[in-house]
Amino acid sequence: MTDLVTDLLDLGKIEAGLEGAGEPVDLVPLIVDVVKALAAPAEDKRIAVAVETPDAAAVRGVRAGYSRC
């Protein structure tokens, strides 16, 4: 619940122009981590998980927000 409130407060700051758009964040490491986390449970159910990522997939944001999930 705290994370939801924090996210809403952050969104409010962004919409009000009080907070910048953040910094460039490369999503490739995050994608790789998610695939690694899902690989074992998927394998247990005989589901193949594969991912192909570009060399970089950058977005602007707050780095901590992407790794909180």
Side-chain angles (χ1 to χ4, degrees), residues 30-47:
L30 175 64
I31 294 167
V32 170
D33 288 345
V34 169
V35 170
K36 284 180 185 177
L38 295 176
E43 190 174 296
D44 291 343
K45 296 179 181 182
R46 297 187 182 138
I47 299 171

Side-chain angles (χ1 to χ4, degrees), residues 8 10 14 16-17 19 23 29-30 32 35 37 39-40 42 45 47 50 54 64 66:
L8 290 172
D10 290 344
I14 291 168
E19 190 168 305
E23 60 184 297
L30 175 64
V32 170
V35 170
K45 296 179 181 182
I47 299 171
Y66 293 104

Side-chain angles (χ1 to χ4, degrees), residues 6-28:
T6 301
D7 290 345
L8 290 172
L9 290 172
D10 290 344
L11 181 60
K13 288 178 188 176
I14 291 168
E15 288 179 346
L18 299 175
E19 190 168 305
E23 60 184 297
V25 177
D26 185 11
L27 293 180
V28 172

